[in-house]
Amino acid sequence: MRARLKDVAARAGVATNTASTILNRRSNSWASKETAARVFKAAEELGYKPSRAALGLRLGSFKTVGLVIPDLHNPVYTTFADLLEQRMRDHGYDLILEHSRNDLKYEKHCLDSIIDRQIDAVTYFVSDLNTHLDFLKRAAKTSTHVVALTGPSIEPFPFDAVEMDFASGITAAVEHLLDLGHEHFAFLCALAKGQEAGDRPNVFNQMLKERGIPENQNSFIPCAHDLLSARNTFGEFLDGISGPKPTALIAMNDLTAIGAMRAASERGIRVPEDLSVIGVDNIPLGRFLPRQLSTIAQPLEELADATAELMLYRLNNDDEEDSKPQSRKFKAKLLIKETTGRVC
Amino acid sequence: MRARLKDVAARAGVATNTASTILNRRSNSWASKETAARVFKAAEELGYKPSRAALGLRLGSFKTVGLVIPDLHNPVYTTFADLLEQRMRDHGYDLILEHSRNDLKYEKHCLDSIIDRQIDAVTYFVSDLNTHLDFLKRAAKTSTHVVALTGPSIEPFPFDAVEMDFASGITAAVEHLLDLGHEHFAFLCALAKGQEAGDRPNVFNQMLKERGIPENQNSFIPCAHDLLSARNTFGEFLDGISGPKPTALIAMNDLTAIGAMRAASERGIRVPEDLSVIGVDNIPLGRFLPRQLSTIAQPLEELADATAELMLYRLNNDDEEDSKPQSRKFKAKLLIKETTGRVC
DNA sequence: TTGTAAGCGTTATCAT
DNA sequence: ATGATAACGCTTACAA
């Protein structure tokens, strides 16, 4: 059987609590060096590890934070998870990773599971604010700290948030494509299951209209988050198109950009000669494709830093519940690589 | 504050243990429908969730299993993790995912952390058997069940194992390349930090020698697991080579194959015209590259099935500690796609 | 310096 | 049918 503190104490010939005090190097321990040494030795010999269950029960915390990502297979999220884990571990917290499979229903399940576990804090990518406002409130009730990873909000966000603004990056991308002479655009938008496109098409159309491109020269193509869906959706779009094909594609994430490029290549469409492609995320993989993927980059390290910082602040100031929600804002940057070119 | 069972009982006007019995639908509960309904209602209203900490302490288990993967950024592992998670969740177990960053030292840390958490069972990719034989023994002591994901072992493996045999797949790959007329081979081998190449080069040389290719026409190139290392290592190899360049490359995993192909493309070497490439793993991504990646495929779903099955068997038969270790064996299969071709 | 005892939230045993 | 009570392993006053 697993060794308990009691066993360690017995073997060292002290009382249980004495062993506890010594092992935790509590300041009120005036135990003799000798005694302390005996206890450490006993713990070592027995391979003693404190029971997380007992610790959790007694201390009311597992020293663990949660991260819910939409997609375990998208490198942008695993990269972020990795970064955040390192930062939290440096401060003595474990990170539990859940993934919601790009499904709003399942996301709710993940968040519930996080709360169940009495995790100290959670951070997650907010796909739809309304859907989760009730979660945020419930989390607040069980005193689970939340840091939301979200788009920019106009009103002050009612919870701690790391806000990522893609708008300027997308605008820069469009303007860069216009400079290259492109006039026919496609916009591939990865949507979670159960998520609506919302006003994204309008935003896109509006942006182009302001720059002299009429609405009938733009195509808004909703698809799922995975490679296969991107390939199929964009492929079917290409096959079904009647007028002139788009010469420029902006994909809402790098992974779908890769899927779309495959669909193009299957149809003899060359990138970037026939089609310029810009993704979003700047996943490491993008730099290792035969053509390095042009992309709108998220500053992942800074996002992880900010997230860790906000979490740790709450974790360390558990008392001051009333303090104002904080937010950190970041902007995406256009990164031109090898999948964009002048229109032929 | 979070609602406790005591609160639910109070609100329903019953004793704590009665509430427990009812909520868990224990068979000895002869509670009246009325009482039961009241308890369920109270639990609902209070948003009652049992405390994992208390449950863990009382039941001695968290109904959780662990999976340690070498690399969170390699789709083959996240795919496996996803599959295993689904299967375990179907049987009421949560999956905790750790990644050891392809570092033998850190892997040990991960495994320790798993044991610490009083997790019921753990499965992990054995990179080096000797390094971890002591872990396996220690796990046995704390009655943490282990299923090892490992290469084929000659002697019966002393623990439950899912054995993956790549040898026949690699042989098939070599023979296929020979059929295509290749005579100069490179072998890119991803090694974990702290891991030795062992007899891999010899196995490789021997296999080719038996088929008429002298040793000086083979290159064994060790590298790390990541894209960047693969690109740099293979790039430097290409730059430094004096005699004829290899026309065939077998990379020990798809990710490094992608990195190596990038290095080739940067040097104007075309795939497959100038260089045939075969990876290992059959990651989904491989099918969405401009050239679909030829690969040696692991049957991931079957591996996940087998792993889940072995784990669940131990979990459900906690008593029969003495029963023999079991193993399930699988073979990799060659999958020819678009990155292999006749030598020009 | 060390020991005693209470308590964290739950389940299980035994009375009632 | 239901209720007291002990126990899981640990920390932390407080007493000695």
Side-chain angles (χ1 to χ4, degrees):
Chain A
M1 262 314 295
R2 186 190 195 85
R4 290 148 305 163
L5 183 54
K6 194 203 293 187
D7 304 322
V8 174
R11 176 175 258 254
V14 301
T16 318
N17 52 345
T18 309
S20 167
T21 312
I22 290 171
L23 253 21
N24 292 310
R25 304 164 192 285
R26 209 96 35 65
S27 57
N28 70 332
S29 165
W30 293 357
S32 64
K33 298 279 172 211
E34 266 189 344
T35 317
R38 265 207 330 282
V39 171
F40 279 115
K41 183 152 157 287
E44 174 68 33
E45 287 167 356
L46 261 37
Y48 169 74
K49 300 277 183 176
S51 147
R52 303 277 294 205
L55 240 35
L57 185 54
R58 182 66 239 239
L59 269 24
S61 145
F62 284 112
K63 282 284 216 176
T64 301
V65 300
L67 168 64
V68 183
I69 60 177
D71 184 3
L72 187 56
H73 307 301
N74 187 333
V76 72
Y77 297 119
T78 54
T79 303
F80 179 82
D82 196 5
L83 293 169
L84 185 62
E85 191 207 352
Q86 292 179 42
R87 281 152 182 72
M88 295 312 293
R89 188 159 34 81
D90 289 345
H91 293 269
Y93 284 88
D94 282 337
L95 179 80
I96 293 233
L97 182 62
E98 301 244 6
H99 69 129
S100 55
R101 300 161 199 269
N102 280 309
D103 182 330
L104 253 48
K105 280 222 191 74
Y106 195 73
E107 183 178 73
K108 203 163 155 30
H109 166 87
C110 289
L111 292 169
D112 284 349
S113 150
I114 293 272
I115 289 197
D116 277 16
R117 286 169 180 278
Q118 298 174 246
I119 269 174
D120 303 299
V122 59
T123 181
Y124 76 109
F125 291 83
V126 174
S127 42
D128 183 71
L129 184 54
N130 291 326
T131 312
H132 293 300
L133 227 50
D134 66 321
F135 163 73
L136 290 165
K137 285 181 192 140
R138 203 146 45 80
K141 270 195 182 163
T142 58
S143 67
T144 307
H145 303 294
V146 177
V147 176
L149 300 161
T150 175
S153 59
I154 304 144
E155 313 152 46
F157 197 76
F159 299 91
D160 287 348
V162 173
E163 297 182 9
M164 187 61 221
D165 184 2
F166 288 104
S168 55
I170 292 179
T171 307
V174 166
E175 289 183 343
H176 181 252
L177 291 167
L178 287 167
D179 286 348
L180 292 171
H182 293 274
E183 296 179 343
H184 295 267
F185 292 82
F187 189 62
L188 190 64
C189 181
L191 257 19
K193 203 171 157 191
Q195 190 184 17
E196 297 296 324
D199 64 343
R200 287 177 182 79
N202 292 333
V203 169
F204 183 59
N205 283 328
Q206 186 57 32
M207 186 179 4
L208 283 166
K209 186 182 279 176
E210 286 169 8
R211 286 163 178 84
I213 304 293
E215 196 162 317
N216 63 2
Q217 292 179 208
N218 313 328
S219 306
F220 184 89
I221 315 167
C223 75
H225 275 79
D226 57 299
L227 286 160
L228 182 62
S229 159
R231 190 201 68 155
N232 290 349
T233 308
F234 192 63
E236 284 159 21
F237 163 79
L238 286 173
D239 293 341
I241 208 165
S242 49
K245 285 190 171 23
T247 62
L249 168 68
I250 296 181
M252 278 298 279
N253 71 52
D254 286 352
L255 222 47
T256 53
I258 292 171
M261 287 193 291
R262 172 72 203 179
S265 112
E266 284 168 357
R267 285 157 182 81
I269 298 173
R270 295 161 305 164
V271 174
E273 291 84 351
D274 307 318
L275 179 70
S276 284
V277 177
I278 298 183
V280 168
D281 282 346
N282 189 28
I283 60 178
L285 174 63
R287 288 192 293 283
F288 297 93
L289 301 173
R291 297 282 185 168
Q292 290 195 29
L293 180 61
S294 296
T295 192
I296 297 164
Q298 304 196 46
L300 285 187
E301 306 224 342
E302 298 171 42
L303 290 178
D305 283 337
T307 308
E309 199 186 304
L310 288 179
M311 277 188 152
L312 288 165
Y313 176 81
R314 292 298 175 200
L315 258 9
N316 297 329
N317 300 278
D318 231 341
D319 33 345
E320 312 160 32
E321 290 296 345
D322 50 342
S323 63
K324 299 271 174 293
Q326 304 184 36
S327 66
R328 301 266 187 289
K329 295 170 200 296
F330 296 92
K331 277 189 193 319
K333 273 206 296 258
L334 179 62
L335 230 60
I336 292 304
K337 298 276 184 171
E338 302 169 353
T339 57
T340 30
R342 191 155 283 284
V343 65
C344 299
Chain B
M1 262 314 294
R2 184 191 198 87
R4 291 148 305 164
L5 184 55
K6 195 203 293 187
D7 304 322
V8 174
R11 175 175 259 255
V14 300
T16 317
N17 52 349
T18 309
S20 168
T21 313
I22 291 172
L23 254 20
N24 291 309
R25 305 164 192 285
R26 211 100 27 70
S27 57
N28 69 332
S29 165
W30 293 358
S32 65
K33 296 282 170 209
E34 265 187 345
T35 317
R38 262 205 334 278
V39 171
F40 279 114
K41 184 152 155 288
E44 175 68 33
E45 288 167 355
L46 261 37
Y48 169 74
K49 300 276 183 174
S51 148
R52 305 276 295 204
L55 241 36
L57 184 55
R58 184 66 244 242
L59 267 26
S61 145
F62 283 113
K63 281 285 218 176
T64 300
V65 300
L67 168 65
V68 183
I69 60 177
D71 185 2
L72 187 57
H73 307 302
N74 187 333
V76 72
Y77 297 120
T78 55
T79 303
F80 180 81
D82 196 5
L83 293 169
L84 185 62
E85 191 206 352
Q86 291 180 43
R87 281 153 182 71
M88 294 313 291
R89 189 160 34 80
D90 289 346
H91 293 268
Y93 284 87
D94 281 336
L95 180 80
I96 294 233
L97 183 61
E98 302 244 7
H99 69 129
S100 55
R101 300 160 198 271
N102 280 309
D103 182 330
L104 254 48
K105 280 222 192 73
Y106 195 73
E107 183 178 71
K108 203 161 155 33
H109 167 86
C110 289
L111 293 169
D112 283 348
S113 150
I114 293 271
I115 289 198
D116 277 16
R117 288 170 178 278
Q118 298 176 248
I119 268 172
D120 303 299
V122 59
T123 181
Y124 76 108
F125 291 83
V126 174
S127 42
D128 183 70
L129 184 54
N130 291 327
T131 312
H132 293 300
L133 227 50
D134 65 322
F135 162 73
L136 290 165
K137 285 180 192 141
R138 204 146 43 84
K141 270 196 183 162
T142 59
S143 68
T144 306
H145 302 295
V146 176
V147 176
L149 300 161
T150 175
S153 59
I154 303 144
E155 313 153 47
F157 197 75
F159 299 91
D160 287 348
V162 173
E163 297 182 8
M164 187 62 222
D165 184 3
F166 288 104
S168 55
I170 292 179
T171 307
V174 165
E175 290 185 340
H176 180 252
L177 291 167
L178 287 167
D179 286 348
L180 291 171
H182 293 274
E183 296 179 344
H184 294 267
F185 292 81
F187 189 61
L188 191 64
C189 181
L191 257 19
K193 204 171 155 190
Q195 189 185 16
E196 296 297 323
D199 64 343
R200 288 177 182 80
N202 292 334
V203 169
F204 183 59
N205 283 329
Q206 187 57 33
M207 186 181 2
L208 283 165
K209 186 181 281 176
E210 286 169 8
R211 288 163 178 83
I213 305 291
E215 196 162 315
N216 63 2
Q217 292 179 206
N218 314 328
S219 306
F220 184 89
I221 315 167
C223 76
H225 275 78
D226 57 300
L227 285 161
L228 183 62
S229 158
R231 190 201 67 156
N232 291 349
T233 308
F234 192 62
E236 283 158 23
F237 163 77
L238 286 173
D239 292 340
I241 207 165
S242 49
K245 285 190 171 25
T247 62
L249 169 68
I250 296 181
M252 278 298 279
N253 71 52
D254 286 352
L255 223 47
T256 52
I258 292 171
M261 287 193 292
R262 172 73 203 178
S265 113
E266 283 168 358
R267 284 157 183 81
I269 298 172
R270 295 161 305 165
V271 173
E273 291 83 352
D274 307 317
L275 179 69
S276 285
V277 177
I278 298 183
V280 168
D281 282 347
N282 189 27
I283 60 177
L285 174 63
R287 289 192 292 284
F288 298 93
L289 302 173
R291 298 283 184 167
Q292 291 194 31
L293 180 61
S294 296
T295 192
I296 297 164
Q298 304 196 45
L300 285 187
E301 306 225 342
E302 297 171 44
L303 290 178
D305 283 338
T307 308
E309 198 186 305
L310 289 179
M311 277 188 152
L312 289 165
Y313 176 82
R314 291 298 174 200
L315 257 11
N316 296 330
N317 299 280
D318 231 341
D319 32 344
E320 313 161 32
E321 290 298 345
D322 50 340
S323 63
K324 299 272 173 293
Q326 302 184 38
S327 67
R328 301 267 186 287
K329 295 170 200 296
F330 297 92
K331 276 189 194 318
K333 272 207 297 258
L334 180 62
L335 229 60
I336 291 304
K337 297 276 184 172
E338 303 168 354
T339 56
T340 28
R342 191 155 283 284
V343 64
C344 299

